[in-house]
Amino acid sequence: MHITDRTLELDCGKLTPTFWQRLAAGLAPLTFLFRVFRNRMEINALHDLNDTQLRDIGLTRADLTSAFLASTFFEDPSEHLTRSARNRWRLQLFRFHEE
C-alpha cells in the first residue's frame, strides 16, 4: 500500500453556523412581523395629516386606503405606498417635461 492510496476527506466548505447566527436566523421572522406591524401603525398615523400634507409627500387618502386593501395582514403596506408615491412623482415629472 502506498501512502497516496489513503486520503482523508475534509468538509471544509461547509461551516456550521454559530449560536448567534442561528439565533439571528430564528428571530428574523419575528423582526419581519414587528416591522410590518410598526409600518401599519405609521400608515394609520398618516390619516391624521391633511390633504395638503399628504400631497407634499406624494400621497392621497385613496393611496392610504388602497395600501391596506391591497396587502394581506402579513404583508407590508408601506411598499404599496412607496410605489404609489414614486408613480405619482414620475407622472408629474413627465407632465412637467411635456410643457
Side-chain angles (χ1 to χ4, degrees):
M1 177 182 276
H2 298 331
I3 197 156
T4 57
D5 290 341
R6 292 185 140 291
T7 59
L8 178 63
E9 298 222 6
L10 298 175
D11 194 11
C12 295
K14 295 180 183 176
L15 298 175
T16 56
T18 65
F19 169 75
W20 297 109
Q21 289 170 332
R22 288 187 300 227
L23 182 65
L27 292 178
L30 290 175
T31 57
F32 173 76
L33 287 176
F34 176 74
R35 186 178 340 114
V36 168
F37 178 74
R38 186 188 65 213
N39 288 344
R40 284 183 172 274
M41 297 303 290
E42 293 294 327
I43 292 171
N44 273 335
L46 289 176
H47 283 286
D48 295 337
L49 300 177
N50 63 33
D51 291 336
T52 306
Q53 292 169 326
L54 284 173
R55 203 172 326 119
D56 284 344
I57 59 175
L59 297 173
T60 63
R61 296 225 177 268
D63 292 335
L64 299 177
T65 304
S66 67
F68 282 114
L69 294 177
S71 61
T72 65
F73 183 74
F74 294 108
E75 290 177 335
D76 193 354
S78 64
E79 296 173 6
H80 177 77
L81 286 181
T82 303
R83 262 193 318 275
S84 295
R86 283 185 183 154
N87 289 341
R88 188 165 288 109
W89 177 77
R90 287 180 185 141
L91 183 62
Q92 288 176 353
L93 188 65
F94 180 72
R95 287 179 185 164
F96 176 74
H97 284 295
E98 283 184 342
E99 293 176 358

